[in-house]
Amino acid sequence: MESHEQAAAVGDGVLDFSRLGLNTLSVDSITDRRKRDTKQLYLNYNRLGSLPSSVTLFFNLEFLDISNNGLSFICEDIMRLTKLKTLIAKNNRLDEFSLPKEFGSLQLEVLNFSGNRFEEIPLQCTKLLRLQSLSLGGNRLKSIPAEIENLTSLEMLYLGGNLISAIPPEVANLPYLTYLVLCDNRIQSVPPQLTRLHSLRSLSLHNNLLTYLPREILSLVHLQELSLRGNPLVVRFVKEMTYDPPSLLELAGRTVKSRNLLYSPFDLPANLVRYLDLASKCPNPKCAGVYFDSCVRQIKFVDFCGKYRLPLMHYLCSPECTSPCSSNPQSDAESEEENSVPADRLQRVLLG
């Protein structure tokens, strides 16, 4: 234990037992004062199969690193660390069954479970209401639970290197989220609700299966970095998609709206009035048409800073409509559409 003591003497409030090949942690020779004063404890790069119960003797602990061990579960004793703010447990053997039931009652602000065996985000993690940073990269996650919206203090969410196929709209309910990392997954689309993330500065989506982005992405006014390399939208031109012909109801509704025919609840049943009020205007500046349920989905390539072309989804009223998604970058419709995007907004977005 003498060498352990020497390794641990790294400063006031800090004990470092990393890289000592420990199977357990003996603290018999550590004074009560030292236990009381310790706020940071490093146990990374050892051979611990579970969290040693002796860790709880450091009852003022605020930071604990137990990365790169063989941990397969975290015992309930961790609940006694009521002042713990940061838990780093990267590169272990933890999964969704490894955490104590009451884990969500800890006052954690930073939690890093990257490089483990999680197939689901444990619901206990979604109860950590003070959490500001959550990292679960390099696991086996297939989805993001809707309960993620409970983490209203979250500023950084790192879920890169998993098997995630969709982004739930509930992610948009995180008001302070600044960094969202979802690279190296299987994501095929981005929900337009993400535009409610007004604090978002960095969005990493590289190496996914994206073929387009919602045009609402341009309303992320604080976005400084958008990483999209390794997606089909960057390496493949996607122009036209399927179109379902409009119903007779929609054709009639289009006629009423496009010709500005007057109507009121005294003229039509209430359900038809509500239907007419749902009309969407065709985004083509040269078209005065509208649509309801039937529309043509096309990709509009917006020029960013003269260097990158970002594919955004547009909805047109019909295949015959002159499309602002023309592949000709000099087309009048496209130029007019691109000029409507403020230059300073475009400079905030980077690809790659």
Side-chain angles (χ1 to χ4, degrees):
M1 186 65 192
E2 182 178 354
S3 61
H4 294 182
E5 291 177 353
Q6 186 176 4
V10 295
D12 293 338
V14 180
L15 284 177
D16 188 352
F17 289 105
S18 61
R19 302 180 185 274
L20 295 176
L22 301 178
N23 294 311
T24 185
L25 177 64
S26 174
V27 296
D28 295 339
S29 61
I30 299 178
T31 65
D32 291 340
R33 180 179 179 179
R34 185 72 171 179
K35 294 173 186 175
R36 183 187 67 242
D37 293 344
T38 297
K39 294 185 177 181
Q40 297 184 32
L41 179 60
Y42 292 86
L43 291 171
N44 47 314
Y45 290 97
N46 281 294
R47 301 173 183 175
L48 302 172
S50 63
L51 182 67
S53 59
S54 54
V55 167
T56 62
L57 297 175
F58 303 97
F59 48 86
N60 286 321
L61 203 62
E62 297 179 1
F63 177 99
L64 175 60
D65 188 346
I66 51 174
S67 301
N68 298 89
N69 279 280
L71 267 67
S72 57
F73 71 96
I74 296 177
C75 61
E76 293 186 1
D77 290 337
I78 196 173
M79 305 308 303
R80 296 164 61 183
L81 297 176
T82 57
K83 297 184 180 180
L84 190 65
K85 295 181 179 179
T86 299
L87 176 60
I88 311 296
K90 301 182 296 182
N91 303 326
N92 283 291
R93 301 174 183 175
L94 301 172
D95 59 28
E96 54 270 28
F97 306 107
S98 300
L99 307 182
K101 184 178 180 180
E102 302 300 322
F103 186 81
S105 64
L106 287 171
Q107 304 302 305
L108 290 177
E109 297 177 359
V110 177
L111 177 60
N112 193 328
F113 279 150
S114 293
N116 279 281
R117 300 179 179 182
F118 290 95
E119 296 185 6
E120 299 176 358
I121 297 179
L123 290 182
Q124 298 99 309
C125 293
T126 65
K127 297 178 181 179
L128 296 165
L129 301 185
R130 296 191 179 185
L131 202 62
Q132 299 175 16
S133 175
L134 175 61
S135 299
L136 278 156
N139 278 277
R140 305 169 184 176
L141 302 177
K142 298 178 181 178
S143 62
I144 305 173
E147 290 82 358
I148 198 75
E149 67 179 357
N150 297 335
L151 302 178
T152 54
S153 298
L154 204 62
E155 298 177 8
M156 197 274 282
L157 179 60
Y158 190 104
L159 299 175
N162 282 287
L163 305 172
I164 298 169
S165 59
I167 306 172
E170 287 80 6
V171 171
N173 297 330
L174 302 174
Y176 301 109
L177 194 63
T178 305
Y179 301 95
L180 178 57
V181 181
L182 294 167
C183 58
D184 299 287
N185 277 285
R186 300 177 180 179
I187 297 169
Q188 300 183 38
S189 64
V190 176
Q193 290 88 343
L194 288 194
T195 57
R196 299 204 303 266
L197 294 173
H198 301 301
S199 299
L200 195 64
R201 294 183 179 274
S202 178
L203 176 58
S204 296
L205 292 167
H206 52 270
N207 298 331
N208 276 286
L209 302 176
L210 296 171
T211 55
Y212 69 91
L213 294 177
R215 64 195 304 265
E216 293 88 349
I217 201 80
L218 293 176
S219 66
L220 289 171
V221 296
H222 296 295
L223 193 66
Q224 295 179 347
E225 181 176 10
L226 175 60
S227 180
L228 293 169
R229 68 180 184 274
N231 279 284
L233 62 78
V234 175
V235 299
R236 179 164 59 92
F237 186 98
V238 182
K239 184 177 179 181
E240 294 186 354
M241 294 189 176
T242 58
Y243 172 66
D244 294 325
S247 64
L248 292 177
L249 174 63
E250 175 150 351
L251 289 173
R254 289 186 180 196
T255 300
V256 171
K257 299 296 288 188
S258 61
R259 297 187 180 184
N260 295 318
L261 299 179
L262 299 178
Y263 62 90
S264 72
F266 301 103
D267 305 316
L268 299 172
N271 64 314
L272 291 182
V273 173
R274 287 193 298 269
Y275 179 79
L276 290 170
D277 290 342
L278 294 175
S280 298
K281 187 180 183 303
C282 182
N284 184 355
K286 293 187 175 183
C287 176
V290 300
Y291 63 88
F292 293 87
D293 301 313
S294 176
C295 60
V296 176
R297 295 188 300 165
Q298 288 191 325
I299 299 299
K300 166 71 165 62
F301 279 76
V302 174
D303 188 6
F304 283 88
C305 309
K307 185 176 181 180
Y308 301 109
R309 300 187 64 74
L310 180 64
L312 304 178
M313 179 63 79
H314 276 239
Y315 298 89
L316 303 173
C317 60
S318 74
E320 290 74 26
C321 177
T322 302
S323 171
C325 306
S326 171
S327 60
N328 179 7
Q330 302 302 323
S331 69
D332 293 339
E334 184 172 16
S335 298
E336 186 171 349
E337 180 74 12
E338 288 183 0
N339 289 337
S340 67
V341 182
D344 60 341
R345 180 77 55 80
L346 300 184
Q347 292 172 1
R348 292 190 177 102
V349 181
L350 303 174
L351 301 183

